[in-house]
Amino acid sequence: MKRLGIWLSASLLLTSSALAADLGWNSGTSPMYSPTPVTGWSGFYAGVNAGYGWGNVNRETTAGASIDNNTGGGVFGAQAGYNMDLGGFVVGAEADLQWSGIGYSDDLGGGTTLKAGTDVFGTIRGRAGVGLGKVMPYVTGGFAAGRGSVSTTDNQNVVTSQSNTHTGWTVGAGLEAQATDNVSIKAEYLYVDLGTQTYSGLPGGNLNASQRFGVVRAGLNYKF
């Protein structure tokens, strides 16, 4: 049995070598052979995405009260990045900018309504994945920043609002698949922590707001 296995292996090796020679694969000039896999991930890309985010805003008033409010809303935006395929292990970097409807509204009583949320945010992240042919699972993480806003509307429809820049971090994971040589689709989850900022000049005094949320989104990329 062992001799039969050796004989079969040798026969297959000789047959494949002869076939390669007939097709000219052993020469470096054959158009039928390329050292770069068709499903390689290297290159610059850009695309668009859309999804939904949810989380909470923690409000800490000057009176010392701490209130958690659930947030939610749609997100959409664009991303651009670069991948380097190291023979199956893919590393790269990506930046994105998102319009955000993540927020909430709260009745403060006396005809006054408070609204708070994240109007826009973006990230700059590293990515690392495993290229499994045309599919690549990956993890990602890095820097995040966004613009938050808090506003109140009283019973006379007088609006008082403040905006502030939040900075923090993000981490997540996703799955990207090549639809063609240049077009890929992806599904991704990100957790975003934008930290705490103070909003001043509001009726009732200053307010410290912490913005944290998760985002699930789908995207489309074009590789140049």
Side-chain angles (χ1 to χ4, degrees), residues 3 5-6 11 22 25-26 29 103-104 106 111 145 165 204 219:
R3 291 180 179 178
I6 295 174
S11 298
D22 291 340
W25 286 6
N26 289 331
T29 60
Y104 77 98
D106 192 17
T165 299

Side-chain angles (χ1 to χ4, degrees), residues 19-60:
L19 181 61
D22 291 340
L23 295 175
W25 286 6
N26 289 331
S27 66
T29 60
S30 172
M32 298 184 64
Y33 172 77
S34 171
T36 303
V38 175
T39 56
W41 290 91
S42 291
F44 290 97
Y45 63 89
V48 294
N49 69 80
Y52 186 83
W54 71 97
N56 70 79
V57 169
N58 177 264
R59 293 189 289 127
E60 182 182 343

Side-chain angles (χ1 to χ4, degrees), residues 54-56 71 102 118 121 190-192 194 211-215:
W54 71 97
N56 70 79
T71 61
I102 302 173
T118 304
F121 70 93
L190 291 179
Y191 175 77
V192 182
L194 292 178
Q211 309 247 15
R212 298 176 178 87
F213 51 87
V215 174

Side-chain angles (χ1 to χ4, degrees), residues 31-186:
M32 298 184 64
Y33 172 77
S34 171
T36 303
V38 175
T39 56
W41 290 91
S42 291
F44 290 97
Y45 63 89
V48 294
N49 69 80
Y52 186 83
W54 71 97
N56 70 79
V57 169
N58 177 264
R59 293 189 289 127
E60 182 182 343
T61 67
T62 52
S66 181
I67 305 170
D68 283 316
N69 294 92
N70 293 328
T71 61
V75 299
F76 69 85
Q79 69 274 346
Y82 179 79
N83 287 324
M84 182 180 295
D85 193 334
L86 305 176
F89 182 64
V90 182
V91 295
E94 181 176 290
D96 67 280
L97 183 64
Q98 307 290 130
W99 173 87
S100 168
I102 302 173
Y104 77 98
S105 178
D106 192 17
D107 185 359
L108 299 182
T112 300
T113 301
L114 181 143
K115 293 183 178 180
T118 304
D119 301 323
V120 63
F121 70 93
T123 69
I124 301 175
R125 296 170 284 108
R127 296 207 313 170
V130 179
L132 305 174
K134 293 187 176 183
V135 178
M136 179 180 69
Y138 63 87
V139 294
T140 183
F143 172 79
R147 187 185 69 190
S149 65
V150 176
S151 67
T152 59
T153 305
D154 65 17
N155 55 8
Q156 302 297 319
N157 287 325
V158 176
V159 178
T160 304
S161 65
Q162 294 288 328
S163 296
N164 220 327
T165 299
H166 290 244
T167 59
W169 55 273
T170 181
V171 66
L175 183 70
E176 190 164 357
Q178 295 175 346
T180 69
D181 288 345
N182 298 99
V183 177
S184 63
I185 57 176
K186 70 173 184 177

